[in-house]
């Protein structure tokens, strides 16, 4: 807005619903989890949850077991699952639990080398992995095309956030 603005108008506006109807975007079905992270001791900084406190709250072993069991049950008829975890330790706990349920799974984090990360993502896209967990990696700009018929079938958000822009 104002003098020198890079953008000063909208050249084309199309409703998201229309894009879904025309097959350009998948229809989203949202189901809240029965298993909630206890945020009592998780504080805010800069308008968002403090990551280390959130990761600790999310990593309660019983909560992880119940959450994974719920995803496995609800996702039983779904082919590809992308799960957002609250921290590396939390993702590792979830991966171990998914594997206990017989689900092929991998975790990508910011500490993965490029070759390792690319290998995990490729395995997910080509169908070798049903579930891919990630911690602050597969966000803006990550496209799931190349997966089973180019579709993501289940998206799990176990990384609570305050800002609506994250979704």
């Amino acid at each position: 807005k104002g003098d020198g603005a890079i953008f000063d108008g909208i050249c084309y506006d199309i409703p998201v619903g229309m894009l879904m109807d025309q097959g350009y975007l998948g229809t989203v079905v949202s189901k809240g989890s029965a298993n909630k992270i206890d945020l009592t001791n998780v504080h805010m900084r800069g308008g968002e949850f403090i990551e280390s406190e959130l990761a600790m709250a999310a990593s309660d072993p019983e909560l992880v077991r119940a959450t994974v069991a719920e995803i496995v049950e609800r996702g039983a008829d779904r082919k590809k699952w992308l799960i957002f975890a609250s921290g590396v330790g939390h993702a590792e706990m979830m991966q171990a639990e998914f594997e206990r349920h017989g689900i092929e799974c991998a975790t990508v984090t910011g500490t993965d080398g490029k070759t390792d990360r690319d290998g995990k993502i490729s395995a997910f896209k080509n169908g070798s992995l049903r579930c891919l967990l990630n911690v602050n990696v597969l966000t803006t700009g990550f496209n799931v095309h190349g997966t089973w018929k180019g579709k993501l079938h289940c998206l799990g958000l176990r990384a609570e956030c305050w800002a609506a822009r994250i979704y």
Side-chain angles (χ1 to χ4, degrees):
K1 291 186 175 183
D3 292 337
I6 295 174
F7 301 105
D8 62 2
I10 297 173
C11 66
Y12 191 76
D13 188 18
I14 186 166
V16 170
M18 183 184 291
L19 292 171
M20 287 182 195
D21 292 342
Q22 294 176 358
Y24 292 104
L25 295 176
T27 304
V28 177
V29 178
S30 178
K31 298 180 180 184
S33 176
N35 302 287
K36 305 293 183 198
I37 298 172
D38 180 0
L39 300 173
T40 305
N41 296 314
V42 180
H43 299 90
M44 306 271 295
R45 183 184 312 130
E48 195 49 81
F49 293 117
I50 296 173
E51 286 186 32
S52 59
E53 293 179 4
L54 178 60
M56 184 170 289
S59 296
D60 171 79
E62 184 52 42
L63 177 62
V64 170
R65 277 191 290 279
T67 297
V68 169
E70 181 180 27
I71 293 169
V72 168
E73 179 183 336
R74 287 187 173 187
D77 63 341
R78 306 292 176 172
K79 305 237 184 268
K80 292 289 180 193
W81 307 348
L82 179 62
I83 312 296
F84 290 82
S86 294
V88 174
H90 179 236
E92 290 169 347
M93 290 174 72
M94 290 186 75
Q95 180 175 343
E97 194 62 30
F98 276 117
E99 290 170 349
R100 274 193 272 287
H101 283 270
I103 305 297
E104 292 292 328
C105 186
T107 299
V108 293
T109 71
T111 61
D112 291 339
K114 182 176 175 12
T115 302
D116 185 35
R117 181 184 301 161
D118 289 350
K120 293 173 185 177
I121 292 170
S122 178
F124 179 66
K125 287 183 174 185
N126 74 25
S128 299
L129 293 175
R130 183 176 193 181
C131 178
L132 188 62
L133 288 136
N134 85 98
V135 182
N136 297 324
V137 174
L138 306 177
T139 56
T140 305
F142 177 68
N143 293 311
V144 186
H145 57 75
T147 60
W148 188 82
K149 293 191 178 179
K151 296 179 182 177
L152 178 66
H153 297 102
C154 179
L155 180 67
L157 301 174
R158 294 313 300 164
E160 300 285 334
C161 60
W162 190 257
R165 64 181 167 71
I166 300 299
Y167 298 108

